[in-house]
Amino acid sequence: MSDPQPPRGDAPGTDHDADVAIEEPGALAPGAAPSPVTTATPATPAGEVEPPSRWHTMLRQISTGNAIISVLSVVLALLVGAIMIAFTDERVQAASGYFFARPGDTFVAIWESVSGAYSALFQGSVYNFRRDTFAAGIRPLTETLTFATPLIAGGLGVGLAFRVGMFNIGGRGQMLIAASVAGWIGFAVDLPMGLHMLVALVGGLLGGALWAGIAGLLKARTGAHEVIVTIMLNYVAFYLVSWMLRTPGLLQAPGSSNPKTPAMKETAIFPLLLGQQYNLHFGFILVIAATILVWWILSRSSLGFKFRAVGENPNAARVAGINVSSMYVYAMLIAGALLGLAGVSQVLGTVTTGFTAGIDAGIGFDAITVALLGRSTPWGIFIAGILFGAFKAGGFSMQAAEGVPVEIVLVVQSLIVLFIAAPPLVRTIFRLPDPKAGPKRPRPIVTKEVDAK
C-alpha cells in the first residue's frame, strides 16, 4: 500500500498551512478514499484575542496594590485581637468548662466578649451612643484626633525619610529637643499673644530639624549609618533633657525639686478648636497643613523628584547629576522639623501644665508603625495616624467598660506591622494575585484537522 497522501485543497474552506494532519493507519479498508473530518472550530488568530475588560483590569490593580495589603493587615490584626479577647474573658473561660454539655453558651460568651470589646473601642474613639446630646457623644472623635495629631506629624517625618532611602528612628530624640526648645520659649519668654505661639512653634521646629540634621550630615560626610546615629542621638537627647529638667535655671520649675517644667504661658498655648469642652487644639490644623506640604514636596516639586530618585537608586541619581549627599541632609532636616512639630503639639497643645522627660510618650516609635501602615505616602500616613489615634483613645474605654487589658491594643498594633512586613502571607491567606506576575493572556485556539484514511 502506498503512503497516504494529504488532501490537495479539494475540500473547500480548509487552510492546510496552519492545520495539523494526524495519520491513523488501518482506520479504513484499502483503496478507500480519504475524507477529511474537522474536529474543531476554525482557528482564531493570536492578534484578535480580546483584551481583558476595564473592570477586570481595575479589580486586578486593586487586589495587587499596596493599599489592599494595609487594609487586610488591619483586618487580620483585629481578628487575632478578637481571639485574644475571647481567651482572656472570664465568662468565656467559665462557659468553656462545660462546652460539650452546652456548646451554645461558649459561642454566646465569645460573641458577647468580642462584640462588647470592639463596641467599647468604637464608642471610646468615634461616637458614644450612651450620651444624651450629640455634642457629648462626639467627644471621643475629638480625643481620637487629639491623639492622632503628633502621630501624623511623626509619621510624616519617618515616611519622608523612608522615601529617600533613610531609616529615621530618632523620633524620640527629635521630639524631646523640639519640646524642650518650644517649652522653654513658652514659659520663659514674654511676647504678645500670637507672636509668642509662633516663635515657640518655629523654635521647636528648628530644634527638631537641627537634631535630625546631625544624622543627615554625618551620613553625607562620613557615610555613618543613620540607624546607629539616630539611636545614639535618642539617648543623648533623653539624658540631656533629663539633666536640664533637674537643673534650676534651665528647664526645672523655680522653687521645685521635681524634674518638671513650669506651665506654659497662655500667650504661647495653641488655641482650642471646638471650645473648652474638647481637647482638640490648633495642632491638628498644623498637621493637616504639614500633610499637604509633604504631598506637594514629594509629588509636585523638583526636590521631591530628587528625593524619590535617591530613594530608588542613589548611584543612578548620582550619575544623573543629583547631589546625593545634599539630599540626605535636606531630607533629615525636613523629617526632623516634622517630628519637631509632634513634640511642639505635645507641650503647647496637649500637656500645657509642664512636661517631663516622658513627654514623647512613645510617639517617636509609634510614628514608625504609622509610616509603615501608610506606605510612606502623606495621605496614607494621615489615615493611619487617625487609626492609631482611635486605638489609643478607645483602648482605655475598652479596658474600663469591658475589663479588656489595654495591652491587647498594643498587640493589635504590633500585628499590623507584622502583616504589613509580610505581604506574601496576606496574599496567601486571602488568595490575592501576585503583582509581579502579569495578567494571564488567553492563548489562541489552534485548529486541528484529522485525516481519516
Side-chain angles (χ1 to χ4, degrees):
M1 184 178 63
S2 61
D3 294 336
Q5 298 296 325
R8 292 183 173 82
D10 50 348
T14 58
D15 185 3
H16 300 288
D17 293 336
D19 295 340
V20 178
I22 301 178
E23 300 182 10
E24 294 183 357
L28 296 176
S35 60
V37 179
T38 303
T39 60
T41 58
T44 302
E48 296 181 5
V49 174
E50 184 179 356
S53 64
R54 290 182 298 175
W55 288 104
H56 181 272
T57 304
M58 182 188 68
L59 291 175
R60 181 174 180 82
Q61 290 175 350
I62 293 175
S63 62
T64 57
N66 291 329
I68 193 66
I69 297 297
S70 299
V71 173
L72 294 178
S73 298
V74 176
V75 172
L76 283 175
L78 292 176
L79 289 176
V80 177
I83 296 173
M84 297 182 63
I85 291 171
F87 270 101
T88 57
D89 188 84
E90 295 180 356
R91 294 169 296 180
V92 176
Q93 295 174 359
S96 62
Y98 54 91
F99 174 79
F100 293 101
R102 295 168 61 184
D105 291 356
T106 303
F107 292 114
V108 170
I110 291 174
W111 168 254
E112 290 179 350
S113 64
V114 174
S115 61
Y118 282 150
S119 176
L121 179 66
F122 179 85
Q123 294 186 37
S125 59
V126 180
Y127 188 83
N128 191 347
F129 298 100
R130 299 177 182 177
R131 300 297 181 182
D132 297 330
T133 62
F134 176 80
I138 205 67
R139 192 176 190 277
L141 179 60
T142 64
E143 291 297 313
T144 293
L145 298 180
T146 303
F147 279 111
T149 296
L151 290 172
I152 295 171
L156 290 172
V158 176
L160 179 68
F162 281 164
R163 299 296 292 270
V164 194
M166 303 181 71
F167 198 71
N168 179 21
I169 57 175
R172 184 186 188 190
Q174 293 152 31
M175 283 186 62
L176 285 173
I177 296 299
S180 300
V181 175
W184 183 84
I185 296 174
F187 70 76
V189 178
D190 292 319
L191 290 172
M193 183 173 293
L195 180 62
H196 195 182
M197 183 188 72
L198 180 61
V199 172
L201 172 63
V202 173
L205 297 181
L206 289 176
L210 293 177
W211 197 255
I214 296 174
L217 185 63
L218 289 176
K219 181 177 181 65
R221 297 298 183 184
T222 66
H225 203 286
E226 71 277 1
V227 172
I228 304 300
V229 175
T230 51
I231 288 176
M232 295 299 102
L233 287 176
N234 282 341
Y235 287 102
V236 173
F238 175 76
Y239 289 112
L240 177 62
V241 172
S242 298
W243 171 74
M244 290 191 292
L245 287 169
R246 291 183 173 88
T247 304
L250 294 179
L251 291 179
Q252 189 179 45
S256 174
S257 60
N258 295 326
K260 185 178 180 180
T261 67
M264 304 298 109
K265 295 182 177 180
E266 291 293 332
T267 53
I269 294 176
F270 287 162
L272 297 175
L273 296 180
L274 302 175
Q276 295 295 328
Q277 59 179 336
Y278 303 109
N279 294 323
L280 186 62
H281 51 77
F282 181 67
F284 184 68
I285 302 298
L286 292 178
V287 298
I288 294 177
T291 304
I292 297 173
L293 177 61
V294 173
W295 170 82
W296 181 83
I297 289 175
L298 292 176
S299 303
R300 294 293 185 269
S301 69
S302 60
L303 180 62
F305 173 79
K306 295 177 182 178
F307 281 168
R308 290 183 282 114
V310 172
E312 291 291 337
N313 193 326
N315 294 325
R318 188 178 291 109
V319 172
I322 298 176
N323 191 334
V324 177
S325 299
S326 298
M327 294 302 106
Y328 288 147
V329 177
Y330 294 155
M332 289 303 293
L333 287 173
I334 299 175
L338 291 168
L339 280 154
L341 177 60
V344 172
S345 67
Q346 285 289 94
V347 299
L348 299 184
T350 305
V351 186
T352 59
T353 58
F355 64 90
T356 64
I359 188 62
D360 67 291
I363 295 172
F365 292 104
D366 289 341
I368 300 174
T369 307
V370 172
L372 289 173
L373 180 59
R375 296 290 177 178
S376 299
T377 60
W379 293 112
I381 291 172
F382 186 85
I383 297 173
I386 293 178
L387 176 63
F388 275 70
F391 284 153
K392 286 182 175 291
F396 301 107
S397 175
M398 191 168 62
Q399 183 181 30
E402 298 293 326
V404 178
V406 71
E407 288 79 12
I408 288 183
V409 175
L410 300 178
V411 173
V412 170
Q413 295 178 1
S414 303
L415 289 173
I416 291 174
V417 179
L418 174 64
F419 290 129
I420 288 177
L425 175 62
V426 178
R427 292 194 183 96
T428 301
I429 293 174
F430 291 95
R431 297 182 179 274
L432 297 178
D434 189 355
K436 295 181 180 179
K440 295 182 179 180
R441 298 182 60 185
R443 291 182 297 180
I445 301 175
V446 178
T447 302
K448 292 186 177 182
E449 185 174 282
V450 179
D451 293 338
K453 298 176 287 296

